[in-house]
Amino acid sequence: MSWHVGLTALGMVLLLEGLGPLLFPNRWRQYLQQIASMPAATLQRIGAALVLLGAMVLIIFS
């Protein structure tokens, strides 16, 4: 993977991650408070699902 592709992907992630707080700051704050109150095991499952989904997307589109 070239640096250009990696930096483009990083830029897209940052753009998508920034949309929530930009457009819905109060809902975003409530969402983060809900996440902070979740058990660690639940957060780990969510994280694992996101990693697997991301890996599948990369495999399919690469």
Side-chain angles (χ1 to χ4, degrees):
M1 171 170 56
S2 69
W3 284 99
H4 179 72
V5 173
L7 290 176
T8 300
L10 177 62
M12 291 174 63
V13 168
L14 293 173
L15 186 140
L16 291 173
E17 288 290 329
L19 284 176
L22 174 67
L23 299 176
F24 310 104
N26 292 327
R27 286 187 194 167
W28 188 255
R29 183 179 293 117
Q30 292 170 353
Y31 172 70
L32 291 178
Q33 289 172 343
Q34 287 176 343
I35 289 176
S37 67
M38 286 182 178
T42 302
L43 293 175
Q44 286 178 321
R45 286 188 200 107
I46 292 170
L50 291 172
V51 167
L52 291 173
L53 180 63
M56 288 188 319
V57 168
L58 287 174
I59 290 169
I60 290 170
F61 291 105
S62 65

